[in-house]
Amino acid sequence: MMRHLVSGLLLGAMLAFSGPAGAEEPGTIRLGAAVSLTGKYSSNGAFTRNGYDLAVKRINEEGGVTVAGKPYRLEIVYYDDESTPARGAQLVERLIRQDGVKYLLGPYSSGLTEAIAPVTEKYGVPMVEANGAAISLFRKGYRYLFAVLSTTDQYLRGAVELAAAVNEDPSKLRVAMAFENDPFSQDVREGVMEDAAKHGMNIVIDDKLPPELNDMSATLSKAKVLKPDLLLVSGHDKGAALAVRQVADQRLDLPMMALTHCDSAQIAEKFGAAAEYTLCAAQWASTLKYEDALFGSASDYAALYEETYNHTAPYQAAESSAAVQVFADAFERAGSLEPDAVRDALSETDIMTFYGPIKFDETGKNVSKPTVLFQVQDGKYVVVYPQEFAEAEFRWPTPSWSER
Amino acid sequence: MLDNLSLFVQYPPLAFDVVLNGLLIGAIFALAAYGMALVWGVLNIVNVVQGELVVLGGYVTFVAVQWGMPPLLGLPLSAAAMFCVGWLIYRAVIFRVVDRDIFISILATFGLSILIQQLANALFGSDVRTVDADLGSVHLFDGMVTLAGIKLLAFALALGAGGALWFFLRKARLGQAIRATAQDPRAARILGIDTDRVFAMTYALNAALCGAAGSLAVMAWTIHPYLGLPYTVRSFMVVVVAGVGNVAGVIAAGLGLGALENVAGFVFGVEFQIAFVFALMVIILVWRNAMATRKRSHLE
């Protein structure tokens, strides 16, 4: 114990002395982040971290950020929250109180963001998050929380709209829904219910999937006899994988199926022909026509990401990178490193990034970016909705299994 | 709930589909439960790490297929690889807790289960994995009843493995040694049986059975590192119902559990499927306890 204390003091002293070395040496702005590197969110947690790291790297390569005439480099202090909310909240407390971090980047998932937000709020530490989209986050009057992504209820609304557009009489449509019993998916459900009610559609199945989901056959058996025109599933990666897998296994004929998380579950890559025609809701696609000075276009970002990490850029990484860009922009506009000044600058953010336009409303959610729908066409993810970004015609209805 | 029940009445083949698929699923539970019954009976250990052994078996098949092996070959490979893993686990941990209080062995195997979960997560990631065995499916009643080929295979295999196990325990020299050790380890030692080796073989055999179950699970559904516990609980229930030395009972209980669970998932909704399994376990334990008390009071 004593030895640890002594070495800690020595290290502290060394750091203190190495600090002010030369006037043109850039300062360092430290951002803190607790992300899921182990546990059930570890793959999406890694995407989050990759996104943060890539943006920090690019910003530092371009000379860092300039605050009140002085150059600064960005640096991120990471902890692993083990995908558990309690641990996340504890680590954020530690980041703020022990590590002296004054700005936070969000964790992965709405659940963890919900656990952390009260802590950042308590200490008045601004947090820009990129992976917590639950609508409930923005109903609590948080002042220091900013989210670059579209809220969750938006995810599958597009699928309902699209179904209403292609079918002659939307009020005859039969909708089947299977949503995991967690904040994210239940929010998705809320949005869908609202839009389905608007068009007068019939909800014929409304199942809640358990978090330890391993088998959807009960839902799909019902779908066999109730013959819905549209099946909507949201249950993170495993929900997407299961839906594609079991619909094909059961040769269940569905004119239209839309999922969340199919790009991170890599359904087109893993399931091949079984994934064809599936619609996937996403926050971002590399084919969208957005651009910024740092990364270039969305496809430039995707290329850079793939070159750096050897896999296709998922939207989870893209939005994470955008969160860092938002911070960098706010530091420069605030002209100060005072957390409250940065917070005020954040609230006035109005920028265009490769990820899309970012502008926060008074609750801190990004209101200027739409969500998109991909369709798996010939093994590729192709944007089919909204109309202005569509790369190809929506293929509908899905042919029956006997004709495929 | 009632509208789900009425679907059964309107479409009788659907009820057939749900029950039949449940039975097929139950075969995989039975396979994992054989091993648990063995370990429980012979080593007197409640093997909490059972489900993790199943998941690991699934990963062996997954990795083998990634390397280009045909999926069905993954099945014997998983069993063989898990046999070795089981042997190692016995040599590293289990032999230290064999003669100890049952509480210690539960703690030790529980610790192992956490360790294996995290190792699997570190090695394979938290992604959901699945393997397509390309066996197709059988369709009956105008597509109303769908039986995946892999589940049919699992069913046949679980029955076959049960028969083989029964035969092995009755006829093979090692099987007889295992039974002798289960009856009375001390007497078995006096009669010249190397009980330590018997324990090791039993545990390894258990792991091999789990490996086969896991391999079937990854081909029939999906696996991820945290899926062990439901398999442990199901094996435990099957063994509690069937008793430790009863291969036929394990098959019957496994199939019954699978069918009940599937019907419950359909009628009450999938979100209550696992809850149903746990509730069923409580009921069974209370019932077993009541029966045991009654028996004791008779004896007194």
Side-chain angles (χ1 to χ4, degrees):
Chain A
M1 181 65 209
M2 202 52 207
R3 190 183 297 166
H4 280 282
L5 199 63
V6 171
S7 63
L9 284 174
L10 276 177
L11 193 69
M14 276 158 59
L15 283 175
F17 282 115
S18 64
E24 64 283 329
E25 190 79 359
T28 303
I29 300 177
R30 293 199 309 161
L31 306 168
V35 292
S36 307
L37 301 176
T38 57
K40 62 176 173 171
Y41 295 140
S42 62
S43 46
N44 282 318
F47 294 150
T48 307
R49 183 184 172 148
N50 290 348
Y52 290 156
D53 284 346
L54 192 60
V56 164
K57 185 167 155 259
R58 277 296 297 144
I59 290 171
N60 288 343
E61 278 170 7
E62 294 292 304
V65 292
T66 313
V67 183
K70 188 174 182 317
Y72 287 91
R73 295 169 59 78
L74 295 182
E75 185 188 297
I76 304 180
V77 186
Y78 284 111
Y79 285 119
D80 171 19
D81 62 29
E82 297 156 24
S83 308
T84 48
R87 187 87 182 119
Q90 201 183 356
L91 289 171
V92 165
E93 186 114 23
R94 173 163 160 188
L95 278 167
I96 298 170
R97 296 189 50 178
Q98 292 183 19
D99 301 325
V101 161
K102 295 200 189 89
Y103 327 96
L104 273 182
L105 289 162
Y108 177 77
S109 89
S110 297
L112 281 151
T113 312
E114 246 162 49
I116 285 171
V119 183
T120 52
E121 217 48 34
K122 177 172 134 198
Y123 292 103
V125 169
M127 166 158 77
V128 179
E129 57 106 343
N131 290 286
I135 188 79
S136 56
L137 274 169
F138 309 99
R139 288 180 180 157
K140 295 190 173 136
Y142 291 137
R143 283 191 73 234
Y144 292 88
L145 175 73
F146 299 93
V148 299
L149 72 181
S150 309
T151 49
T152 314
D153 59 307
Q154 304 293 332
Y155 269 83
L156 288 176
R157 278 178 195 244
V160 177
E161 295 304 327
L162 196 55
V166 292
N167 284 280
E168 261 171 35
D169 183 2
S171 67
K172 287 217 180 82
L173 272 182
R174 298 157 67 82
V175 183
M177 313 190 294
F179 292 136
E180 193 179 329
N181 210 352
D182 77 328
F184 172 85
S185 304
Q186 289 303 307
D187 271 10
V188 178
R189 177 178 175 275
E190 203 182 309
V192 168
M193 291 294 275
E194 226 176 272
D195 279 14
K198 195 174 78 193
H199 292 292
M201 298 176 182
N202 281 321
I203 310 277
V204 292
I205 299 175
D206 181 8
D207 276 357
K208 287 195 176 73
L209 306 174
E212 59 284 303
L213 175 71
N214 190 30
D215 190 2
M216 277 187 55
S217 59
T219 306
L220 298 181
S221 298
K222 271 184 244 175
K224 257 187 234 169
V225 296
L226 294 172
K227 302 206 184 332
D229 302 294
L230 169 64
L231 173 68
L232 301 168
V233 179
S234 171
H236 293 275
D237 295 5
K238 60 184 184 301
L242 264 180
V244 172
R245 177 72 201 266
Q246 294 197 315
V247 166
D249 271 356
Q250 302 216 3
R251 296 172 72 84
L252 178 61
D253 290 324
L254 293 162
M256 190 171 165
M257 172 163 83
L259 319 170
T260 64
H261 289 85
C262 25
D263 44 348
S264 55
Q266 301 181 309
I267 59 160
E269 296 86 335
K270 283 184 187 165
F271 298 101
E276 277 297 300
Y277 301 97
T278 305
L279 287 165
C280 307
Q283 291 276 355
W284 176 80
S286 62
T287 48
L288 294 177
K289 299 170 193 79
Y290 297 129
E291 276 188 6
D292 64 31
L294 187 68
F295 285 110
S297 68
S299 61
D300 292 342
Y301 175 85
L304 176 67
Y305 183 94
E306 192 160 352
E307 186 189 315
T308 316
Y309 298 109
N310 293 322
H311 59 252
T312 319
Y315 72 79
Q316 287 86 349
E319 58 204 21
S320 301
S321 293
V324 178
Q325 287 179 276
V326 166
F327 252 133
D329 167 67
F331 288 139
E332 298 199 332
R333 277 186 298 105
S336 148
L337 290 178
E338 211 27 62
D340 274 306
V342 174
R343 187 252 154 223
D344 291 341
L346 280 170
S347 73
E348 281 152 27
T349 299
D350 186 2
I351 56 172
M352 177 51 94
T353 66
F354 75 94
Y355 171 69
I358 298 175
K359 183 178 169 144
F360 303 116
D361 69 359
E362 67 283 4
T363 63
K365 60 177 185 282
N366 183 5
V367 281
S368 55
K369 185 188 74 66
T371 49
V372 295
L373 279 179
F374 297 112
Q375 183 173 37
V376 180
Q377 296 187 350
D378 308 316
K380 290 198 177 62
Y381 301 98
V382 183
V383 177
V384 293
Y385 185 89
Q387 215 67 61
E388 62 263 38
F389 297 116
E391 301 167 74
E393 279 285 299
F394 171 43
R395 292 186 184 167
W396 178 89
T398 305
S400 69
W401 288 97
S402 49
E403 290 162 25
R404 286 214 204 171
Chain B
M1 191 182 125
L2 278 178
D3 37 322
N4 288 334
L5 269 179
S6 74
L7 282 181
F8 277 161
V9 182
Q10 283 172 43
Y11 306 96
L14 192 63
F16 186 61
D17 175 75
V18 172
V19 172
L20 212 55
N21 267 299
L23 287 176
L24 299 187
I25 294 166
I28 297 183
F29 301 160
L31 203 53
Y34 292 145
M36 182 174 256
L38 261 184
V39 168
W40 198 337
V42 178
L43 285 76
N44 198 24
I45 282 177
V46 178
N47 192 35
V48 183
V49 70
Q50 197 79 356
E52 275 66 31
L53 298 178
V54 173
V55 172
L56 270 189
Y59 277 116
V60 172
T61 298
F62 172 76
V63 171
V65 170
Q66 292 273 293
W67 287 347
M69 203 182 264
L72 289 181
L73 269 186
L75 195 65
L77 184 74
S78 280
M82 290 309 293
F83 186 88
C84 303
V85 171
W87 181 278
L88 288 175
I89 290 180
Y90 177 81
R91 285 290 167 224
V93 180
I94 304 294
F95 85 95
R96 295 171 210 274
V97 297
V98 166
D99 294 326
R100 310 286 286 276
D101 188 58
I102 193 148
F103 188 65
I104 293 182
S105 64
I106 287 181
L107 268 185
T109 47
F110 181 60
L112 270 176
S113 76
I114 295 175
L115 183 73
I116 293 182
Q117 272 174 24
Q118 296 299 337
L119 275 180
N121 191 28
L123 282 176
F124 309 110
S126 66
D127 294 354
V128 182
R129 308 293 195 181
T130 180
V131 168
D132 196 352
D134 256 336
L135 291 183
S137 18
V138 181
H139 299 272
L140 308 168
F141 296 103
D142 197 20
M144 198 74 89
V145 175
T146 313
L147 301 172
I150 184 66
K151 289 186 188 167
L152 289 170
L153 177 75
F155 187 77
L157 214 85
L159 291 189
L165 191 65
W166 185 85
F167 191 78
F168 168 76
L169 289 177
R170 290 277 167 309
K171 302 290 174 206
R173 185 118 189 95
L174 181 61
Q176 287 170 341
I178 287 178
R179 283 196 303 139
T181 311
Q183 276 177 13
D184 189 338
R186 229 174 110 222
R189 258 195 299 273
I190 292 167
L191 292 173
I193 293 174
D194 180 354
T195 52
D196 184 55
R197 185 167 161 271
V198 167
F199 286 153
M201 289 306 283
T202 306
Y203 200 84
L205 188 62
N206 164 44
L209 286 167
C210 287
S215 175
L216 290 169
V218 76
M219 290 188 269
W221 306 288
T222 55
I223 55 163
H224 58 90
Y226 302 98
L227 203 63
L229 189 63
Y231 283 102
T232 303
V233 171
R234 285 168 181 142
S235 305
F236 181 76
M237 275 172 61
V238 168
V239 178
V240 167
V241 172
V244 290
N246 183 354
V247 174
V250 166
I251 297 184
L255 298 185
L257 174 67
L260 266 178
E261 191 186 293
N262 227 33
V263 172
F266 188 90
V267 175
F268 303 121
V270 232
E271 72 264 42
F272 295 117
Q273 187 162 336
I274 301 280
F276 175 82
V277 173
F278 282 89
L280 198 64
M281 182 168 82
V282 172
I283 294 169
I284 288 169
L285 286 176
V286 170
W287 174 72
R288 288 292 288 203
N289 190 39
M291 290 321 257
T293 319
R294 218 177 104 200
K295 198 171 164 195
R296 264 200 299 279
S297 66
H298 277 307
L299 290 176
E300 278 165 10

